[in-house]
Amino acid sequence: MTALDGSDADILLEVDDLTVSYHMGMRRPPFRAVRDITFKVARGETVSIVGESGSGKSTIGGAILGLRAIESGSIRLQGEDITNAGIKRRRAIARHIQAVFQDPFSSLDPKLTIGESVAEPLTIGARPRRDETLRSVTETLGRVGIGADALRRFPAEFSGGQRQRVSIARSIIRTPELIVCDEAVSALDVSVQAQVINLLADLKADSGTSYLFISHNMAVVRHISDRVIVLYKGRIMEQGPAADVCDQPAHPYTRSLIAAVPVPNVAVQEQRRTARSLAAKPSVVAGDVQDGCPFAPRCPFARPACTTSGDVRLVGVGPGRSAACLRLDEVLRTASASPVIW
Amino acid sequence: MSSPVVADAQAKERFRTARAFARNPLGVAGLAFVLITSGCVVLAAQLAPYDPKAQDYSTVLSGPISAHPLGTDQLGRDILSRLLFGGRLTLLGVFEAVAVAFLIGVVLGLIAGFAGGQVDNLISRTADIVMAIPAIVILLMIYAITSNNPHYGMLALGLLSVPGICRVTRTATLAAKSETFIDVTRVIGMGRARIIFGHVLPNIWGPIIVNTSILAALTLGIQGGLNYLNLGVTPPDPSWGGMVSEAQQSLQLQPWLIVPSGLTLALTIMAFILIADAMRDATAAAGARSERPARRRKAAQPAGPVSERTAGPAVTAPGPVDGAASALLAVRSLSVAFGGQRVVQDVNLTVDTGETLGIVGESGCGKTVTASAILGSLGRTARVSGDVSFLGQNLLGVGRKARAQVRGKGIAYVSQDPMVALDPCFSVGSHLGEVVGRHDGLRAGARRARVSELLTMVGLPNPDDVAKKFPHELSGGMAQRVLIALALAGRPKLLIADEITTALDVTIQAEILDLLRSLRDETGMAMILITHDLGVVADICDRAAVMYAGQVVETAAAATVFLAPAHPYTQALIAANPIVAERGRPLASIPGSVPPPAQWPASCHFADRCLRVEPVCRSGPVAMSQAAGPGQTARCVLLNAGAEAFPVGLERPAKEGP
Amino acid sequence: MARVILLRFVSSVVLFILVPTVTFFVQTLTPGEVARSVLGIGATQEQIDAFNHRLGLDSPPLERYFDWLRHFSQGDLGNSYITGQPVSEILGSRIGVSMSLVIGALLVYSAVGIVIGVGSSVGGRVWGRVVDLVSTIGIAIPNFWLAVILISAFAVSLGVLPAIGYVPLSESPSGWLVSLILPVVALAFGGITSVAKQARDRMIATLDSPHTGVLRANGVSEASLVFKHALRNSAGPVITVLGLNFVGALSGSVVIENIFVLPGLGSQAITSTANRDLPVIQGIAVYFTVIVVVVNIIIDVIVPLLNPKVRRSS
């Protein structure tokens, strides 16, 4: 976790100026899901991308996993360009990058046994020996807390939490350096969610895996991450060490996102609510923003300049930390006056 | 698949659909009929008592007699023999047409669904055009130019039927492709062929087989019509359709003749339909097992239409209501069972005027079923006992009319997932206007004014513009506000809100909770909030009822629940929340997961997951008892054995079960 | 919406060109046949050549095709090989019969199907089973067999309705109606079941949907839920099925017209096919295509009007 955003040689994944668009039909303009996204993931690091629906957070994961076509920008894995890699390249990349997705009920093919699903990554482009595969699958399932009796059973027999464990087993069986977790714990109940979060932490401690953790849940992100990237409407609003971003947010959007999380404590929640309503102020900017800060129409700090002076670039606000806001000075002044209570 | 684990797989599970089909007697009968008929037809030469073309003028139009079990026609030919031989060309033709449609249709459908984009566009548009071709004209000509060849016509019919199979395959492929496990195969670098044959096809056979079977039925009908016109089969060669035509010529002399051929045709068609129906049911049944539980979408499901039209759920022992007069709503010993399986047990709740009660718990704990029982929206399969008394009236005992009186005016309801909770065919104004008209009897201008007022109340600027919008034009937050306006229309005394912020972004959730709070203060209505999020309870509720596995395990003032939770489940639930945990330390998770109703013990439901479980916990049913806080009750036998000794634990269980 | 209709129009144009083109080339694969079927088996080669020359059948197929296409684009469908009458004249007198039959069937299967479907959707499980059973039987009975049974029962045994024949509307409205009863019933029967099934499935789906639960819980009456909300939500899919059935009934009319000896397009199609009377067959193909296209456009217009969500997504 020494490698913060910067020059360290131990960079696993580099995403540069990534832009992904969706075609909305023949005569409609393409929709830019994310624009000019740049970030790095170091070995052994957990980087979270947090944002609300429509922020484009899953699109970034999809682009890295080869599920979305990249319009411009590049993605490098251990220095090697993997932008828009074809199926053959993907096979090689799959050794290094794996994924766990949100929905535990559609992540596993209902027609395959648990054993078959977990073994599948081993059988891509290879014909492993039967006993080796069996040993490897059993051992991996054991690591995620699933017994060997599950091998020959089908996903329908398992609960959401168990299926998510199986999905994790499938993702780690080839010991990848990076696992993209796209809302991997979002569909789970709190008690099961805690189990899976602990499991991910244990796996990281054992094998030094990096996670790109995509989530809408600020509380989970705060708990699990080394670094956090806050996304809004396809742009990075703020990024930096998790403790800084979550506990002393610099960007007005991050502040509103954190302030909106209800906390399970009546007294604290009341304080948070009061602070939130004091900070709430209608924006002076109206309508959709084409250029400039996309958050301006919802931002209490906004000025007309926020939407008229072109793209708002990320500027440094501390070690390894940056935010895209023209009014950072005032925001930070307010921030020190009313810190975030968790 | 070369994986060694494959060989060990239990095949019976894999053929779940086939087994579900085998349990359907009608489907099996249909399949048996088709197989037996095909067999008889193939063996016609062995089975037929006569040459199908042999004329015998001594017995014409005989009707069923021992020598001719199905009778003879006007030329004295044996009907049974003609039926058997006639089936050859008939069934062969159906096979030819269906095979062509199936092979080409499935391939094109897979390509269109899997490739998408322009390829899909081209295939789908072409299919649309072919579908609009008047097939009969083409067929007539094909028979004409091929000198009535029986095969070309059916092959052409197969080609013209390709679009139907193609469409079904494409739709099913698209659905399969949207499953996450297909994304996973791409992430691990699996080749296209293996994705299609290993993961897509095995999951889409159901609808394809259903539609192929229906196509076989339709083809039999069309082919019969053509044969009736002597197209495809030239007399004196027999065919089932042609035999109907022959029978018609002697309709006045021997009406029986139209029975054997027509009935055989009808029964064969029906067999294919039965196969299709059984296959459809089997696919649905097999799918239902592997589908996700209806997590956080359950509210709508028990609210089936049946409850209103029939006598409603069976209710036992309404009984007199005691001491409920003071409370707005008093739920006493409420139990709900589906098919003998109790899903809610002995729930007691009260809501006072103006009070907000939070019902909190994980999925599968019975929160939504409890709410549906209060709303009276459980289907008739539900067995409800206990009583639900609202303003002193036991709602479980009253008739339909009295119940309808309470809806909207007494108790109103806001559901989860606002995007599907409004009728897509009607505008916002139309929705609100209808309830306003019903509750206030207002018309025209007054009604519009009230609609505007309601929309303003829920914080929607430009209410008149919003009223003109249709549900699909609203964002999630706006739709949820409209739903709240809908619930407010009857000026309810109690609002039941079921996971109303679960589908929303956290910033929108905060806005909706603020709105509910101010509406509550304005109107003085009471609320029941059903949620899985303890933060929501802390934000807005006066009191909380924690549910676990069908039971209420703790009730207390909201502040007490978080500061001094009495029940080990409540404690564990709070501790498992990442907000509470220290960064970088493991979360205090609860081992295992909520057990399904069938596995609930008579004793403490939480005992198997409880870190403090003792033998006494498993000795028998646990009742609610008084805990330390004012008005705090909990369902735990260890409660009086030192509740104070239970801190909100952050320690981690030694061993997690799977 | 305009885009949908435009798209439909473009594909219709393709269809207009495609269907006659296919019929043309399929038919020209057997050039000598026409003359033979007109002149009889005993015709000499000279007679056949003269016949072919008179009708331009001796010119190359491609030339004839473009010739036909030119006339077609001007609305001229040519003349019958057999009678020399203009095709539009022959078919013009027959289209009324076919439309009476097909539209009559449409009315019957729509009305009966929707009533049964809606009724069974609110009638509980027993009604649902009954509709399922009747549907299966309904689909299973081929229309031509039903026609023969109907003739046997109502014309032969009871003698209350005519077995065959057609009375023009202009001659006797009541006779016209009576002459159409059996053909219309035979043609409509199969459609009733699919319409009823679709209506029932859509009604039940809507009545089970979250929005029905919300509206009911907030005081909307049961009558409004069924007859306003569920009916409106079901209308689009039901109308789509009505359209599909209409196209099916058009094909079915060929058989039914033959059984009941109705002088419509269908019976003409059989006769002309037997005679290789290409221009008439082409004409019938064009007429059928026009009817299908018109029906599709009507559906394209109506369905989005009923469901604004469809309006947007198209």
Side-chain angles (χ1 to χ4, degrees):
Chain A
M1 264 130 293
T2 48
L4 291 178
D5 198 335
S7 55
D8 202 301
D10 221 12
I11 292 299
L12 184 63
L13 185 82
E14 287 169 278
V15 175
D16 268 312
D17 286 329
L18 176 73
T19 299
V20 179
S21 298
Y22 292 122
H23 293 279
M24 307 300 286
M26 279 189 286
R27 292 218 229 111
R28 280 174 234 179
F31 167 71
R32 286 227 162 130
V34 294
R35 221 173 103 192
D36 303 334
I37 302 293
T38 300
F39 67 93
K40 295 187 174 85
V41 179
R43 252 175 232 286
E45 191 185 31
T46 299
V47 174
S48 285
I49 301 181
V50 67
E52 296 180 290
S53 49
S55 63
K57 54 188 187 300
S58 291
T59 303
I60 297 177
I64 294 167
L65 294 168
L67 298 172
R68 303 272 170 271
I70 294 160
E71 184 179 316
S72 66
S74 71
I75 298 175
R76 280 194 300 277
L77 177 73
Q78 298 172 359
E80 198 185 329
D81 193 347
I82 61 163
T83 316
N84 291 330
I87 285 184
K88 287 228 171 91
R89 286 289 308 286
R90 210 67 241 173
R91 252 175 223 186
I93 297 165
R95 278 206 78 91
H96 308 284
I97 304 181
Q98 284 290 336
V100 180
F101 292 98
Q102 170 170 17
D103 189 348
F105 294 95
S106 103
S107 289
L108 300 171
D109 188 335
K111 303 274 177 192
L112 259 55
T113 62
I114 298 299
E116 287 170 304
S117 273
V118 175
E120 206 155 44
L122 299 175
T123 66
I124 302 294
R127 288 191 168 273
R129 283 179 38 171
R130 204 189 135 88
D131 52 340
E132 272 174 22
T133 309
L134 192 60
R135 205 185 55 233
S136 173
V137 169
T138 315
E139 192 255 341
T140 312
L141 281 173
R143 287 179 68 196
V144 301
I146 300 281
D149 59 327
L151 277 179
R152 277 178 272 167
R153 287 158 67 194
F154 285 82
E157 301 172 56
F158 293 84
S159 72
Q162 290 170 317
R163 292 190 198 196
Q164 209 59 333
R165 286 169 188 270
V166 173
S167 289
I168 291 172
R170 176 177 53 193
S171 75
I172 61 171
I173 195 162
R174 297 185 74 184
T175 55
E177 283 92 345
L178 175 70
I179 300 178
V180 176
C181 299
D182 189 352
E183 298 278 16
V185 299
S186 303
L188 306 174
D189 273 312
V190 175
S191 68
V192 179
Q193 173 181 291
Q195 297 167 13
V196 175
I197 288 174
N198 287 342
L199 172 63
L200 290 173
D202 289 349
L203 293 174
K204 178 173 157 177
D206 289 352
S207 53
T209 323
S210 302
Y211 293 116
L212 183 65
F213 197 85
I214 297 164
S215 177
H216 71 280
N217 189 329
M218 204 70 206
V220 171
V221 164
R222 174 172 172 263
H223 181 82
I224 206 173
S225 323
D226 298 315
R227 283 197 307 115
V228 174
I229 296 166
V230 182
L231 214 62
Y232 184 74
K233 293 202 171 168
R235 314 289 314 262
I236 293 180
M237 297 286 103
E238 177 171 4
Q239 61 173 348
D244 297 348
V245 173
C246 297
D247 296 353
Q248 292 137 33
H251 195 284
Y253 175 64
T254 319
R255 291 178 64 79
S256 74
L257 198 59
I258 291 170
V261 177
V263 166
N265 182 314
V266 174
V268 174
Q269 178 57 18
E270 202 170 332
Q271 286 178 40
R272 285 170 62 88
R273 200 166 59 229
T274 314
R276 190 178 74 218
S277 60
L278 286 177
K281 207 169 57 172
S283 171
V284 299
V285 179
D288 252 10
V289 177
Q290 299 304 317
D291 269 330
C293 176
F295 186 60
R298 286 173 67 189
C299 181
F301 296 93
R303 291 286 177 273
C306 295
T307 56
T308 52
S309 34
D311 277 359
V312 183
R313 309 206 69 85
L314 285 163
V315 293
V317 270
R321 188 170 178 208
S322 54
C325 181
L326 294 180
R327 317 240 325 126
L328 268 182
D329 293 346
E330 193 188 331
V331 180
L332 289 173
R333 217 168 29 245
T334 320
S336 56
S338 59
V340 171
I341 327 150
W342 273 99
Chain B
M1 228 140 297
S2 56
S3 157
V5 215
V6 179
D8 303 335
Q10 293 166 334
K12 62 170 189 182
E13 184 64 23
R14 201 178 306 266
F15 298 109
R16 204 160 56 202
T17 313
R19 292 198 309 150
F21 182 93
R23 280 192 296 272
N24 185 326
L26 284 176
V28 173
L31 188 61
F33 185 89
V34 170
L35 291 178
I36 291 171
T37 309
S38 309
C40 291
V41 160
V42 169
L43 299 174
Q46 284 75 42
L47 294 173
Y50 299 92
D51 180 333
K53 294 186 201 170
Q55 303 179 356
D56 175 4
Y57 289 104
S58 64
T59 46
V60 290
L61 300 173
S62 74
I65 51 174
S66 58
H68 301 280
L70 295 179
T72 56
D73 64 9
Q74 60 269 46
L75 301 175
R77 298 175 295 196
D78 180 53
I79 295 294
L80 179 61
S81 305
R82 286 184 70 71
L83 212 51
L84 285 168
F85 279 97
R88 287 189 160 180
L89 275 181
T90 305
L91 292 183
L92 179 63
V94 170
F95 177 79
E96 287 166 342
V98 170
V100 166
F102 178 85
L103 289 175
I104 302 178
V106 169
V107 169
L108 288 180
L110 273 174
I111 292 173
F114 203 76
Q118 294 302 319
V119 178
D120 179 20
N121 239 332
L122 181 72
I123 293 178
S124 297
R125 294 244 177 282
T126 312
D128 282 350
I129 291 174
V130 174
M131 254 183 167
I133 292 177
I136 191 85
V137 182
I138 306 281
L139 291 177
L140 289 178
M141 264 182 319
I142 295 210
Y143 283 121
I145 60 163
T146 61
S147 311
N148 228 1
N149 181 304
H151 303 293
Y152 291 116
M154 295 317 285
L155 293 176
L157 183 57
L159 279 177
L160 290 167
S161 309
V162 164
I165 300 292
C166 173
R167 268 193 186 183
V168 170
T169 311
R170 174 183 172 269
T171 310
T173 305
L174 283 176
K177 214 176 89 173
S178 73
E179 296 279 352
T180 312
F181 62 79
I182 298 295
D183 277 347
V184 173
T185 60
R186 292 171 60 193
V187 168
I188 62 178
M190 191 180 283
R192 274 205 197 94
R194 189 164 157 196
I195 294 177
I196 289 175
F197 291 106
H199 291 280
V200 176
L201 264 181
N203 283 293
I204 64 171
W205 280 128
I208 295 176
I209 293 175
V210 168
N211 281 278
T212 306
S213 193
I214 290 175
L215 178 64
L218 294 176
T219 306
L220 256 175
I222 295 171
Q223 183 203 39
L226 294 165
N227 291 165
Y228 172 89
L229 297 172
N230 293 333
L231 293 167
V233 179
T234 318
D237 286 342
S239 72
W240 293 350
M243 287 172 72
V244 174
S245 165
E246 288 157 14
Q248 192 189 358
Q249 289 158 21
S250 31
L251 199 55
Q252 277 161 329
L253 300 170
Q254 185 49 279
W256 156 258
L257 276 185
I258 62 172
V259 176
S261 51
L263 196 61
T264 307
L265 203 48
L267 286 176
T268 315
I269 294 173
M270 195 187 294
F272 280 118
I273 299 283
L274 290 176
I275 292 172
D277 283 349
M279 194 62 206
R280 184 183 294 123
D281 292 348
T283 311
R289 273 198 58 199
S290 58
E291 236 167 57
R292 66 217 69 195
R295 181 187 154 82
R296 278 163 211 159
R297 296 259 335 229
K298 278 175 294 191
Q301 179 251 322
V306 257
S307 58
E308 272 313 296
R309 297 192 306 269
T310 58
V315 176
T316 53
V321 182
D322 55 325
S326 62
L328 177 67
L329 177 82
V331 176
R332 298 253 176 274
S333 333
L334 177 75
S335 290
V336 181
F338 289 101
Q341 195 71 66
R342 284 229 242 160
V343 295
V344 165
Q345 294 181 358
D346 188 31
V347 165
N348 292 282
L349 298 167
T350 57
V351 182
D352 289 330
T353 308
E355 188 185 37
T356 302
L357 170 73
I359 301 180
V360 66
E362 299 176 274
S363 41
C365 286
K367 309 184 295 285
T368 294
V369 175
T370 304
S372 300
I374 298 171
L375 287 164
S377 58
L378 291 166
R380 65 170 168 182
T381 50
R383 306 253 141 208
V384 185
S385 65
D387 61 51
V388 173
S389 125
F390 180 72
L391 291 170
Q393 181 188 31
N394 182 5
L395 296 180
L396 296 185
V398 303
R400 261 204 318 196
K401 278 212 166 136
R403 185 99 224 191
Q405 278 302 310
V406 175
R407 295 207 162 109
K409 272 198 150 92
I411 304 177
Y413 168 65
V414 183
S415 75
Q416 57 199 326
D417 205 349
M419 299 312 277
V420 297
L422 291 166
D423 188 334
C425 294
F426 292 90
S427 69
V428 168
S430 164
H431 275 90
L432 289 168
E434 182 169 6
V435 261
V436 165
R438 182 136 176 103
H439 293 312
D440 295 353
L442 298 176
R443 306 243 160 268
R447 184 187 285 201
R448 270 199 300 280
R450 172 73 176 145
V451 168
S452 266
E453 186 193 354
L454 285 167
L455 289 171
T456 315
M457 272 175 84
V458 296
L460 288 168
N462 311 326
D464 296 337
D465 289 349
V466 176
K468 284 188 204 114
K469 285 187 190 288
F470 282 90
H472 67 265
E473 299 169 305
L474 305 174
S475 69
M478 281 170 91
Q480 197 55 279
R481 283 170 193 267
V482 170
L483 280 173
I484 293 172
L486 197 73
L488 293 176
R491 302 180 184 82
K493 300 194 170 51
L494 173 65
L495 178 75
I496 296 182
D498 186 0
E499 298 275 12
I500 60 167
T501 57
T502 305
L504 304 176
D505 279 324
V506 66
T507 52
I508 310 295
Q509 163 174 293
E511 289 173 13
I512 295 288
L513 291 175
D514 287 348
L515 172 68
L516 280 182
R517 190 179 299 103
S518 68
L519 286 172
R520 177 185 65 186
D521 297 346
E522 256 171 64
T523 62
M525 68 181 174
M527 296 198 289
I528 295 179
L529 244 77
I530 292 162
T531 180
H532 68 286
D533 187 342
L534 287 165
V536 171
V537 176
D539 186 73
I540 196 171
C541 296
D542 302 314
R543 278 195 313 121
V546 181
M547 286 191 77
Y548 183 78
Q551 298 177 323
V552 172
V553 294
E554 177 163 1
T555 57
T560 314
V561 165
F562 297 111
L563 288 179
H567 196 282
Y569 175 64
T570 316
Q571 295 166 359
L573 199 59
I574 294 170
N577 196 312
I579 294 179
V580 174
E582 210 178 315
R583 263 179 52 78
R585 299 244 347 242
L587 295 167
S589 63
I590 314 173
S593 54
V594 183
Q599 291 169 23
W600 294 347
S603 55
C604 176
H605 289 187
F606 188 59
D608 283 346
R609 301 176 70 193
C610 186
L611 298 179
R612 301 186 169 82
V613 64
E614 293 187 16
V616 62
C617 297
R618 306 189 198 273
S619 62
V622 186
M624 290 293 275
S625 53
Q626 196 63 41
Q632 186 176 26
T633 56
R635 198 184 286 274
C636 178
V637 286
L638 302 173
L639 204 55
N640 300 317
E644 273 69 30
F646 295 179
V648 175
L650 282 177
E651 72 265 54
R652 200 160 166 219
K655 180 82 187 145
E656 277 180 27
Chain C
M1 172 98 126
R3 204 170 148 247
V4 176
I5 294 171
L6 188 79
L7 259 176
R8 176 66 78 178
F9 193 78
V10 170
S11 69
S12 306
V13 171
V14 174
L15 201 60
F16 271 130
I17 308 292
L18 189 75
V19 171
T21 304
V22 170
T23 52
F24 184 94
F25 283 106
V26 164
Q27 195 82 359
T28 34
L29 290 178
T30 49
E33 298 283 314
V34 182
R36 234 176 244 297
S37 55
V38 174
L39 302 175
I41 299 171
T44 63
Q45 192 56 43
E46 286 81 41
Q47 284 173 309
I48 287 173
D49 289 345
F51 177 87
N52 284 343
H53 185 70
R54 184 161 53 84
L55 293 177
L57 292 180
D58 49 356
S59 49
L62 266 184
E63 194 177 302
R64 279 161 53 209
Y65 173 67
F66 285 112
D67 202 41
W68 178 85
L69 206 58
R70 202 175 58 244
H71 284 104
F72 174 60
S73 63
Q74 292 157 1
D76 177 9
L77 293 169
N79 300 329
S80 162
Y81 289 161
I82 312 292
T83 65
Q85 256 184 302
V87 169
S88 47
E89 209 171 89
I90 297 175
L91 301 184
S93 68
R94 290 175 165 265
I95 190 160
V97 180
S98 290
M99 291 316 282
S100 305
L101 177 64
V102 180
I103 291 177
L106 170 75
L107 293 177
V108 169
Y109 67 69
S110 310
V112 180
I114 290 171
V115 168
I116 293 178
V118 172
S120 75
S121 75
V122 293
R125 209 181 298 176
V126 177
W127 264 103
R129 300 299 294 181
V130 170
V131 170
D132 277 347
L133 189 71
V134 174
S135 304
T136 312
I137 295 171
I139 296 175
I141 296 180
N143 56 16
F144 62 95
W145 190 45
L146 179 67
V148 175
I149 292 173
L150 289 175
I151 291 174
S152 164
F154 291 97
V156 178
S157 298
L158 300 173
V160 289
L161 290 167
I164 55 167
Y166 178 75
V167 180
L169 180 61
S170 52
E171 220 168 82
S172 155
S174 62
W176 171 77
L177 206 59
V178 168
S179 69
L180 279 175
I181 291 177
L182 290 184
V184 163
V185 169
L187 190 57
F189 197 73
I192 291 173
T193 61
S194 59
V195 172
K197 226 174 179 174
Q198 177 77 341
R200 182 167 69 102
D201 291 351
R202 300 314 307 167
M203 289 290 289
I204 287 177
T206 315
L207 289 171
D208 273 338
S209 71
H211 56 81
T212 302
V214 166
L215 289 172
R216 175 182 291 130
N218 289 314
V220 171
S221 70
E222 223 38 49
S224 165
L225 289 176
V226 173
F227 292 108
K228 183 176 166 189
H229 293 277
L231 209 53
R232 178 73 169 269
N233 274 277
S234 314
V238 169
I239 287 173
T240 308
V241 168
L242 292 182
L244 285 176
N245 273 306
F246 188 88
V247 177
L250 209 56
S251 282
S253 72
V254 172
V255 179
I256 296 296
E257 282 177 16
N258 259 277
I259 296 176
F260 290 98
V261 198
L262 305 179
L265 295 176
S267 43
Q268 181 69 54
I270 303 281
T271 318
S272 300
T273 308
N275 294 338
R276 316 289 197 276
D277 197 348
L278 178 64
V280 180
I281 297 172
Q282 296 274 56
I284 292 171
V286 169
Y287 272 49
F288 272 27
T289 310
V290 170
I291 295 170
V292 171
V293 166
V294 168
V295 167
N296 281 336
I297 287 181
I298 291 174
I299 290 169
D300 284 347
V301 172
I302 291 179
V303 172
L305 285 180
L306 291 166
N307 189 340
K309 201 170 173 182
V310 178
R311 199 166 7 183
R312 189 201 45 174
S313 62
S314 52

